[in-house]
């Protein structure tokens, strides 16, 4: 058996606090989002929760950290500098990989702001590509494949979309990788199965078809702010798709308290082994292991 490689996964920090918005920034979709934040969300997304979670995660000394989007809330210009500082406190671009969420591309005006702000954290290993997604980053036995499902949407909608060009490029990259012996992890903000018309990945069927044809070992996502494991059809075996709660959340309504996952990945003969450990924040802001599961 090989030495374990540990991948940590957190998502949806929705970095609090929300800076005061300028009036002219609050047209359209942001006006509703701003009201929602000031009336509700600020109560549940708390910086001290996020800080406790990240400190615990860093103490576990993972080999790499994946962050699957929603770093900011309304994609206001003033949100990106604190979000960059926060991500730098999580780790270096060599050690941390991000993909954007719908809140990072909240409105058209700042839809490409995320890619600019976090470029070192989503730069693929290959020389400059014409489009930033999908990117591939090799770390130890892993090939981290990042896609962007973040698109601006109408008010009250939180759907995502990869689009044909990105799906075709993903299919091509996975085909090129098929001869290599990497543990392939797909990072995407939106889950591939959603019961909600308002929140779903609209071309998830096409993405699932690519995964069925080419296979990956693991899919990691956020967006729903709940724990979830769904099994997708893969090329020669089923693929676990794992979602995680918001990294800054207090438990509220049906949403659990903030948590992150650790995936311990080893090679046994010609098989991958992957064990998931879930660590969650309790009411005293202490972080404890709440579950362990063998995925592969
Ligand atoms: Fe989110």
């Amino acid at each position: 058996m090989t030495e374990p490689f540990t991948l940590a996964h957190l998502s949806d920090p929705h970095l609090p606090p929300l800076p005061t918005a300028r009036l002219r920034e609050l047209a359209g979709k942001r006006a509703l989002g701003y009201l929602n934040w000031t009336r509700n969300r600020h109560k549940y997304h708390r910086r001290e929760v996020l800080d406790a979670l990240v400190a615990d995660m860093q103490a576990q000394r993972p080999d790499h950290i994946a962050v699957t989007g929603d770093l900011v809330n309304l994609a206001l210009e003033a949100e990106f500098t604190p979000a960059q500082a926060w991500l730098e406190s999580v780790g270096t671009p060599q050690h941390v990989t991000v993909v954007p969420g719908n809140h990072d591309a909240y409105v058209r005006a700042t839809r490409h702001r995320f890619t600019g702000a976090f470029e070192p954290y989503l730069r693929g290993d290959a020389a400059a590509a014409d489009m930033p997604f999908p990117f591939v980053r090799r770390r130890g036995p892993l090939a981290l494949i990042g896609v962007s499902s973040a698109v601006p949407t109408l008010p009250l909608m939180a759907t995502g979309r990869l689009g044909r060009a990105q799906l075709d490029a993903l299919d091509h990259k996975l085909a090129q990788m098929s001869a290599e012996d990497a543990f392939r992890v797909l990072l995407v903000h939106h889950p591939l199965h959603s019961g909600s018309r308002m929140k779903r990945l609209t071309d998830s069927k096409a993405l699932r078809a690519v995964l069925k044809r080419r296979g990956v070992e693991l899919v990691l996502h956020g967006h729903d702010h709940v724990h979830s494991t769904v099994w997708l059809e893969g090329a020669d075996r089923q693929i676990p798709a794992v979602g995680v709660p918001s990294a800054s959340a207090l438990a509220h309504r049906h949403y659990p308290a903030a948590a992150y996952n650790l995936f311990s990945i080893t090679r046994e003969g010609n098989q991958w082994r992957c064990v998931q450990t879930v660590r969650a924040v309790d009411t005293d802001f202490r972080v404890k292991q709440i579950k362990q599961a063998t995925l592969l």
Side-chain angles (χ1 to χ4, degrees), residues 165-222:
Q166 202 181 171
L167 285 163
D168 287 347
L170 176 67
D171 186 70
H172 184 68
K173 282 210 154 87
L174 290 175
Q176 281 178 328
M177 235 181 263
S178 63
E180 299 165 34
D181 205 10
F183 187 94
R184 296 160 297 176
V185 185
L186 180 74
L187 305 177
V188 56
H189 178 69
H190 288 76
L192 277 64
H193 279 86
S194 174
S196 162
R197 274 193 62 75
M198 320 268 279
K199 293 187 69 180
R200 70 198 177 97
L201 182 67
T202 56
D203 50 5
S204 70
K205 204 173 158 195
L207 176 57
R208 291 202 306 269
V210 172
L211 298 183
K212 188 179 172 191
R213 185 159 56 242
R214 305 293 181 198
V216 293
E217 277 59 48
L218 179 63
V219 176
L220 300 181
H221 68 82

Side-chain angles (χ1 to χ4, degrees), residues 12 14 41 70 103 189 223 225:
D12 299 76
H14 289 276
R41 294 184 76 133
D70 283 2
H103 282 262
H189 178 69
H223 193 55
H225 298 196

Side-chain angles (χ1 to χ4, degrees), residues 47-147:
R47 182 65 194 237
E48 59 269 42
V49 172
L50 180 62
D51 289 348
L53 194 86
V54 169
D56 183 82
M57 184 188 64
Q58 288 170 331
Q60 309 293 319
R61 306 188 65 79
D63 295 298
H64 198 79
I65 298 164
V67 182
T68 49
D70 283 2
L71 274 68
V72 299
N73 297 292
L74 306 180
L76 297 168
E77 188 51 44
E79 287 184 277
F80 284 97
T81 305
Q84 279 173 301
W86 173 76
L87 194 63
E88 282 162 17
S89 78
V90 174
T92 63
Q94 175 61 25
H95 199 60
V96 180
T97 298
V98 297
V99 292
N102 50 299
H103 282 262
D104 302 312
Y106 205 65
V107 292
R108 272 178 197 283
T110 45
R111 68 175 298 188
H112 298 298
R113 194 63 184 80
F114 183 94
T115 313
F118 301 106
E119 195 274 338
Y121 290 87
L122 47 80
R123 189 188 305 143
D125 296 333
D130 0 327
M131 48 184 207
F133 303 101
F135 61 75
V136 179
R137 310 181 99 197
R138 313 289 170 124
R139 298 293 185 272
L142 266 54
L144 295 149
I145 304 137
V147 293

